Amino acid sequence: MELLAPAGNMDKLKAALLYGADAVYLGGKSFGLRAFSDNFSPEEMEAAIAYAHERGKRVYVTVNIFPHHRDLPGLPAYLRQLRDFHADAVLVADPGIFGMARETVPDLPIHISTQANTTNWAAVKFWYEQGASRVVMAREVGLSDIKEIHDRVPVELEGFVHGAMCISYSGRCLLSNYFTQNRDSNRGQCVQCCRFKYNIVEETRPGEYFPVVEDERGTYIFNSKDLCMLPYLPDMYQAGLHSLKIEGRMKSIHYVATVVKVYRQAMDAYVADPEHFSVRSEWIEELEKISHRPYTRGFAVSRPTEADQVYSHSCNTQTHEFIGVVQEYDAARQMVWVEQRNHFKVGQEVEFLQPRGETVRLRLPRLVTADGTEVEAARHPQERIGIPCLQPLEAQSLMRRRVREK
């Protein structure tokens, strides 16, 4: 089974592949559903695909907007460009884009995006007969239905395993369009109105706002919990999924690296010994360290209930924060060199999440700048800081600390 990770920019792509993803999905500056992600220029995309292929990994490019007439003239040239860059597939939701891709670049594999709302075997069969090589299941499809689809249609199936959930049906939402001007959520510009605070206004009393729940903070009636399918990993294998997809092109490097590593370890453990597989407590702890909302299993085994929403707040929670990236380890001096990403100081307890090795914990004994000057704190963004460390650390390990450790 493939582990598929988000890549909002080149740094996140490198982190995803380094920490264990088999493939990444990314978007260009146009035609994708994450307009507020960094995304990739043509030059960056060509370099990203080459980088992944050199490491035996795959890259899928999102072309999954619902286009208007004005979007179509530039599409054939863009599709030919993706073919020339050797993209491994494009993700498509709109039948018009699908037909144009089949005509313009017939050899470029097409994956049907979750935006297409594919929820039954007949729809999957339709896309397969049109030439799709993979169908991404709508989030509303349970594992038992996915198993039936797998048994009926000989096409690759992809399902979400972790990340944010949309309040609307597989992402088709008009709240953003309604509350803002020209911010179409189905063309990549959603402002996540489902995370806003809402009150009720009675028709004959305009201007009088009544809280939906008696709480001084108001209520967030559309705010979904985040998906976490780690406890159901064996069921996802048995359902016949070919690829497990992590949501989060707009999330941080810390999020991408942590989630990818957890699922990589879990998937490897399951494949090695399916009969005795169990979810390790340290995997759950890792997923609590990243920024997230409370977790839910979504539609996987039953319909969601009122408990799958977060009514009291829209803020994420996390136990740890990202503060640095390991550049190199100097074995002769037993010194790890870190690029600072957030303030840290002598005496703090930190830990290093390594791409392959175990997590290493360390109380900072002293800090040294690049010119050898000892300092009490690393205060300057992207400053190079040396930290005495007896244990060798892998390059690109992520340094973090507990949120309360200031």
Side-chain angles (χ1 to χ4, degrees), residues 327-338 362 365-375 384-393:
Q327 295 180 322
E328 61 179 320
Y329 182 78
D330 185 343
R333 298 175 61 189
Q334 294 186 318
M335 182 82 73
V336 60
W337 289 96
V338 173
L362 174 69
R366 61 190 181 92
L367 305 176
V368 181
T369 62
D371 63 6
T373 304
E374 288 205 21
V375 292
R384 181 177 164 89
I385 295 290
I387 304 168
C389 182
L390 298 179
Q391 184 168 343
L393 295 172

Side-chain angles (χ1 to χ4, degrees), residues 1 31 40 52 98 155 164 171 210 229 242 274 318 328 336 361 388:
M1 188 186 286
F31 305 112
F40 289 74
F98 184 94
V155 68
F210 302 93
M229 290 294 293
H242 180 86
Q318 64 190 94
E328 61 179 320
V336 60
R361 292 171 178 82

Side-chain angles (χ1 to χ4, degrees), residues 117-373:
N117 307 119
T118 310
T119 59
N120 60 77
W121 67 263
V124 173
K125 182 172 180 286
F126 168 83
W127 286 118
Y128 170 66
E129 290 174 347
Q130 302 310 306
S133 59
R134 179 183 297 184
V135 177
V136 185
M137 292 285 87
R139 288 179 174 89
E140 295 76 23
V141 183
L143 290 173
S144 60
D145 289 332
I146 291 175
K147 177 67 166 63
E148 182 174 353
I149 293 169
H150 169 72
D151 292 342
R152 283 177 174 266
V153 189
V155 68
E156 293 181 1
L157 302 178
E158 178 179 305
F160 282 90
V161 70
H162 198 94
M165 296 281 283
C166 182
I167 188 64
S168 190
Y169 200 77
S170 279
R172 292 197 180 189
C173 181
L174 293 175
L175 281 177
S176 184
N177 308 56
Y178 182 80
F179 283 108
T180 62
Q181 290 186 339
N182 302 318
R183 300 286 284 271
D184 189 339
S185 56
N186 297 307
R187 299 177 71 245
Q189 300 172 15
C190 181
V191 295
Q192 294 194 323
C193 298
C194 51
R195 315 300 183 197
F196 291 0
K197 183 189 294 186
Y198 290 93
N199 289 296
I200 290 175
V201 177
E202 199 274 324
E203 182 179 6
T204 63
R205 287 179 279 184
E208 295 186 42
Y209 300 95
F210 302 93
V212 182
V213 176
E214 290 295 336
D215 187 311
E216 67 277 5
R217 293 168 294 186
T219 186
Y220 300 82
I221 57 177
F222 301 130
N223 189 29
S224 176
K225 294 181 178 181
D226 283 356
L227 182 69
C228 176
M229 290 294 293
L230 184 63
Y232 298 91
L233 190 62
D235 304 274
M236 300 189 86
Y237 272 92
Q238 291 157 21
L241 287 167
H242 180 86
S243 178
L244 298 186
K245 187 173 198 170
I246 298 168
E247 182 275 338
R249 275 190 285 157
M250 295 175 64
K251 301 289 181 64
S252 69
I253 289 178
H254 181 218
Y255 170 95
V256 172
T258 302
V259 177
V260 167
K261 184 172 183 181
V262 166
Y263 281 94
R264 176 80 280 150
Q265 290 179 327
M267 292 166 71
D268 289 348
Y270 177 81
V271 170
D273 190 359
E275 292 186 8
H276 298 97
F277 174 83
S278 63
V279 176
R280 300 173 189 167
S281 60
E282 58 264 31
W283 295 339
I284 299 296
E285 289 172 11
E286 281 295 314
L287 295 179
E288 292 295 333
K289 292 178 181 178
I290 57 171
S291 178
H292 69 285
R293 296 177 182 86
Y295 288 126
T296 175
R297 63 191 185 185
F299 292 80
V301 296
S302 63
R303 293 184 64 84
T305 69
E306 65 277 3
D308 292 283
Q309 304 296 116
V310 185
Y311 302 105
S312 61
H313 61 86
S314 66
C315 299
N316 286 2
T317 182
Q318 64 190 94
T319 63
H320 287 66
E321 58 188 345
F322 170 46
I323 57 175
V325 180
V326 172
Q327 295 180 322
E328 61 179 320
Y329 182 78
D330 185 343
R333 298 175 61 189
Q334 294 186 318
M335 182 82 73
V336 60
W337 289 96
V338 173
E339 182 185 89
Q340 189 260 35
R341 295 295 181 90
N342 203 339
H343 177 277
F344 56 88
K345 60 186 178 181
V346 171
Q348 287 183 331
E349 185 172 334
V350 302
E351 63 183 37
F352 295 90
L353 176 71
Q354 301 192 88
R356 289 170 295 279
E358 296 295 319
T359 299
V360 174
R361 292 171 178 82
L362 174 69
R363 187 167 292 280
L364 300 177
R366 61 190 181 92
L367 305 176
V368 181
T369 62
D371 63 6
T373 304

Side-chain angles (χ1 to χ4, degrees), residues 8-70:
N9 58 33
M10 190 64 174
D11 286 341
K12 295 173 188 178
L13 179 145
K14 290 180 178 179
L17 300 182
L18 181 62
Y19 278 79
D22 300 302
V24 295
Y25 62 100
L26 54 83
K29 299 294 185 181
S30 305
F31 305 112
L33 281 178
R34 285 295 180 268
F36 303 131
S37 176
D38 291 344
N39 293 323
F40 289 74
S41 68
E43 296 77 18
E44 291 168 338
M45 189 178 296
E46 184 176 24
I49 294 171
Y51 179 91
H53 287 177
E54 287 167 2
R55 289 155 180 79
K57 310 290 187 175
R58 297 174 290 280
V59 177
Y60 311 134
V61 181
T62 60
V63 192
N64 56 349
I65 65 167
F66 292 107
H68 296 281
H69 294 311
R70 62 183 178 274

